[in-house]
Each structure stands twice: as structure tokens, then as C-alpha cells.
């Protein structure tokens, strides 16, 4: 629903009409009520074979259509485990429109992206939970995906025992 | 402030103060104030216990829940809690029970009355871990809900550490 600049109502000049009321009250209330926009994705089957190269988290496609320039808040939570022992796991956000990792702003991410968790023991699950704000996102449709890397190839995203979710919202 | 469904204005309509108050005064106040319910657990409450043998239980049926009237948007549920295990290490499963007014309750993990666990946390023996969990529940029907945090230990005794930390449970309505 489009935003209409609020008019100044002028005594004996402004002609009250259904069109004006619908723009100033109905449309603008709908616009304000729909804020902040938010999108959530994920859960599904366990994703095995997280490797020492960055790989997309299956089902992590996030598309959000923002109005004006906004800040985006990514809320990421994944449950990960290693079947063989110690592992370090990193998470990053891939900007699919500009082909860059958001951790670095380039094609090459920071070593562990936005953050790292360490798994100490085989088959003991750990949460990776990040709350990240990305400022100054321009008006329009934006596409992102979450990518993951592990120091150990036998790392799994555990969906069976945890309803993992990735969400993005305007703030 | 109560939310009133946004109306479509038509030509020749009789404008009333009731309409203006509902559509502008009350709805704008609703948007300004936001629709958020929070309960904080700080002091004076015994640390709740989850026994593996007891299965799924509310973390604290007296305080750790909120009642909210939603308007048809998405809602975000946030739980911040510290958990430790008094015996051998094990894990804790956490879930959110939703009780819609006049309808059967269900867990967010399964959308049925049988929880499968929304979040799982490994709890080492006598090590306390604080975690903040969030879940975005999309396209929530307009209704009154009671929303409550539940948990289940897989071994021994789990404790929520209310004594030494603050626990918070929040339900907030967002856009869509």
C-alpha cells in the first residue's frame, strides 16, 4: 500500500472526499500498520556435509521488498553438530543482488563471516545465533542467502531436533 | 489500544465522530504504542526444575507466559533464559505453547498438541548458559492468545537460573 504525504487540512478550502479520506487515512494507516516488514524461512531436513568451503544453507533464500531506505535486522539461529569431534563453524550473509558477502562487502568473506561457534565434542549440538543489523538498505526488492563453513567436513545442520529459523525484518 | 479494521471510505458517506475516533485516534495510538507483551523474571521466584522423567512442562506456569490480542500480522516471540543441569550433562528442549481463545492449544514446533522442540540447548553439568531465542511466527490470525514457554530435560534435573540472572519472555507484533 503506497504512502501519501500527509496533507495540511485547510479550513473552508480542503474539499473532503472519499478519495482524500482513502489516501490520507485508509492507505496511510495500512502502510504504517504493515511496518516493519518481516520474512522468515527454514527448517526441513538435516543438511549434512558442511565443508571447509562456504556453502549455502539449504532453504535460506530470503527476499524482502523494502520501502524507502531502511536498516535490516537478520535473526539467524541454526543448530549444528559434528559427527567426529571438534569443529569451528562460521556464518555469513550472501547478497545475491550484488554478489558479495556482507561480512566483507566483497567476493571474499571474512574467515568466519559474521561469527564463529566451536563444537567441542562429537554429536553434541550447539546453537549458532546471531542478531545482525545491516544499515542503509535501499528501496526495492533484495535477495539474500545464508552461507556456512566448518573447519571439519563432518558437520551437520540439525533440523530434526531443532526448528531452525532465519528471519529478516525492517527496523 | 484496540485495533479496528481499516475501513474503505465511500462517496456520500455520513462522517461520524465514532468513525473518526476508531479509524484515526485509536488506530494511530495502536500503531504508536505498538503491540507488545513482556514478562520479566528477576527475583523472589524459586528456580524452576525440569525432571527428565516428567516430560514436557511449562517452565513456570505462574509467570512465564503472556496474553496478547493480535491484529493479523506476524509476531515475534523471544525468550531469554539461563539453564543449567545439576547432574550429568544433557540437553534441554524448549518449545512455545499457543492457546488461542476458544480453540485447541498447539505447540509452535509441530502446530499440534505434541511438541517436538523448537530449540535445543546442550547443558553441561553445573554450567549455566544464557541464551536468547527468537522465533518469527508469520500470518497469525487475529485473535486473543495465551503464549507460554515450555521445556523438557533429556537427563537428570534441569534448572532455570532465576536466582542469578534475569529471564525475559516477550511477544511482539510486527508488520507483514
Amino acid at each position: 500500500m503506497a504512502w501519501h504525504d500527509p496533507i495540511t487540512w485547510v479550513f473552508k478550502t480542503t474539499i473532503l472526499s472519499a478519495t482524500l479520506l482513502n489516501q490520507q487515512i485508509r492507505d496511510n494507516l495500512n502502510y504504517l500498520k504493515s511496518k516493519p516488514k518481516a520474512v522468515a524461512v527454514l527448517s526441513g531436513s538435516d543438511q549434512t556435509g558442511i565443508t571447509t568451503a562456504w556453502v549455502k544453507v539449504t532453504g535460506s533464500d530470503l527476499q524482502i521488498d523494502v520501502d524507502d531506505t531502511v536498516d535490516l535486522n537478520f535473526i539467524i539461529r541454526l543448530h549444528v553438530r559434528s559427527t567426529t569431534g571438534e569443529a569451528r563453524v562460521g556464518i555469513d550473509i550472501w547478497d545475491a543482488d550484488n554478489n558479495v558477502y556482507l561480512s566483507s562487502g566483497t567476493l571474499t568473506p571474512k574467515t568466519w563471516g559474521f561469527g564463529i561457534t566451536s563444537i567441542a565434542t562429537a554429536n553434541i549440538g550447539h546453537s549458532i545465533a546471531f542478531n545482525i543489523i545491516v544499515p542503509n538498505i535501499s528501496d526495492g526488492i533484495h535477495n539474500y542467502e545464508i552461507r556456512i563453513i566448518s573447519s571439519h567436513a563432518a558437520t551437520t545442520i540439525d533440523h530434526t531436533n531443532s526448528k531452525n529459523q532465519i528471519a529478516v525484518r525492517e527496523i | 489500544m484496540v485495533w479496528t479494521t481499516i475501513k474503505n471510505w465511500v462517496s456520500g458517506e455520513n462522517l461520524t465522530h465514532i468513525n473518526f475516533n476508531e479509524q484515526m485516534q485509536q488506530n494511530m495510538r495502536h500503531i504508536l504504542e505498538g503491540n507488545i507483551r513482556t514478562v520479566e523474571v528477576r527475583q523472589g521466584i524459586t528456580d524452576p526444575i525440569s525432571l527428565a522423567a516428567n516430560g514436557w512442562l511449562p517452565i513456570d506456569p505462574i509467570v512465564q507466559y503472556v496474553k496478547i490480542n493480535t491484529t493479523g500480522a506476524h509476531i515475534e516471540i523471544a525468550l531469554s533464559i539461563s539453564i543449567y543441569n545439576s547432574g550429568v550433562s544433557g540437553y534441554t528442549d524448549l518449545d512455545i505453547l499457543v492457546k488461542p481463545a476458544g480453540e485447541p492449544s498447539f505447540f509452535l514446533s509441530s502446530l499440534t498438541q505434541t511438541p517436538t522442540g523448537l530449540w535445543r540447548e546442550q547443558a553441561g553439568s553445573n554450567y549455566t548458559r544464557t541464551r536468547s531465542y527468537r522465533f518469527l511466527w508469520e500470518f497469525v490470525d487475529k485473535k486473543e492468545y495465551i503464549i507460554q514457554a515450555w521445556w523438557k530435560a533429556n537427563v537428570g534435573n534441569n534448572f532455570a537460573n532465576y536466582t542469578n540472572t534475569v529471564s525475559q519472555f516477550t511477544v511482539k507484533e510486527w508488520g507483514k
Side-chain angles (χ1 to χ4, degrees):
Chain A
M1 189 68 71
W3 173 255
H4 306 280
D5 282 336
I7 66 164
T8 300
W9 302 81
V10 181
F11 182 59
K12 289 188 176 178
T13 299
T14 304
I15 299 172
L16 206 55
S17 66
T19 301
L20 201 56
L21 289 174
N22 283 330
Q23 288 179 346
Q24 293 293 309
I25 302 174
R26 184 197 62 189
D27 291 357
N28 282 356
L29 275 176
N30 268 319
Y31 180 88
L32 293 172
K33 183 65 173 57
S34 71
K35 294 287 191 176
K37 290 182 178 175
V39 176
V41 296
L42 261 189
S43 245
S45 305
D46 289 1
Q47 184 176 346
T48 59
I50 309 300
T51 69
T52 53
W54 287 94
V55 62
K56 177 184 174 182
V57 175
T58 304
S60 68
D61 302 277
L62 286 163
Q63 183 177 84
I64 188 164
D65 185 1
V66 301
D67 305 300
D68 305 320
T69 299
V70 298
D71 295 345
L72 290 180
N73 176 203
F74 288 84
I75 302 169
I76 300 166
R77 186 180 180 282
L78 298 172
H79 199 72
V80 294
R81 58 189 159 81
S82 158
T83 55
T84 55
E86 188 275 340
R88 285 154 286 157
V89 180
I91 293 282
D92 211 329
I93 302 167
W94 173 252
D95 178 343
D97 301 310
N98 298 303
N99 292 330
V100 295
Y101 287 92
L102 292 187
S103 67
S104 63
T106 73
L107 266 171
T108 306
K110 291 178 75 69
T111 302
W112 297 106
F114 276 101
I116 182 173
T117 195
S118 291
I119 301 168
T121 310
N123 291 316
I124 298 297
H126 279 265
S127 295
I128 306 178
F130 295 113
N131 204 334
I132 297 158
I133 293 171
V134 180
N136 298 322
I137 301 301
S138 60
D139 187 353
I141 298 173
H142 295 267
N143 295 279
Y144 303 96
E145 66 185 46
I146 306 305
R147 294 191 176 181
I148 189 169
I149 194 170
S150 174
S151 63
H152 201 290
T155 301
T156 294
I157 299 174
D158 180 359
H159 289 287
T160 302
N161 298 304
S162 186
K163 298 299 176 282
N164 297 319
Q165 190 183 61
I166 293 168
V168 61
R169 65 186 177 189
E170 296 176 339
I171 53 173
Chain B
M1 186 60 67
V2 174
W3 175 257
T4 303
T5 302
I6 297 171
K7 76 184 257 69
N8 188 48
W9 304 85
V10 296
S11 294
E13 180 164 343
N14 184 24
L15 301 177
T16 67
H17 70 283
I18 296 173
N19 273 340
F20 270 57
N21 285 335
E22 283 180 349
Q23 293 292 310
M24 289 194 281
Q25 183 207 46
Q26 294 177 25
N27 280 354
M28 285 182 186
R29 279 187 179 164
H30 179 95
I31 291 171
L32 180 68
E33 293 164 0
N35 192 13
I36 182 168
R37 300 288 181 275
T38 295
V39 59
E40 282 189 355
V41 182
R42 289 179 181 271
Q43 290 177 348
I45 298 172
T46 305
D47 289 355
I49 305 171
S50 171
L51 303 176
N54 290 344
W56 284 96
L57 289 170
I59 296 175
D60 189 322
I62 307 299
V63 295
Q64 206 132 31
Y65 74 92
V66 300
K67 183 184 285 187
I68 188 168
N69 280 292
T70 62
T71 66
H74 304 332
I75 64 172
E76 178 192 355
I77 298 167
L79 170 66
S80 182
I81 191 167
S82 304
I83 296 175
Y84 68 100
N85 189 298
S86 65
V88 296
S89 63
Y91 58 77
T92 305
D93 285 330
L94 297 136
D95 215 323
I96 299 296
L97 180 69
V98 179
K99 299 178 181 177
E103 294 180 12
S105 59
F106 59 89
F107 286 90
L108 271 186
S109 63
S110 63
L111 302 181
T112 72
Q113 293 181 318
T114 305
T116 56
L118 201 58
W119 307 300
R120 173 169 290 191
E121 198 63 53
Q122 193 70 30
S125 177
N126 288 318
Y127 289 100
T128 304
R129 289 198 172 102
T130 303
R131 292 284 188 268
S132 294
Y133 305 94
R134 292 173 188 274
F135 190 83
L136 187 68
W137 181 18
E138 297 181 285
F139 307 108
V140 179
D141 288 342
K142 180 181 176 181
K143 198 174 282 292
E144 180 185 272
Y145 296 91
I146 291 173
I147 300 176
Q148 190 177 43
W150 281 51
W151 66 349
K152 185 187 77 169
N154 81 315
V155 292
N157 304 341
N158 276 352
F159 294 82
N161 195 332
Y162 288 177
T163 305
N164 301 312
T165 63
V166 175
S167 180
Q168 190 178 68
F169 186 54
T170 299
V171 178
K172 179 178 175 56
E173 195 164 40
W174 290 93
K176 65 178 178 181

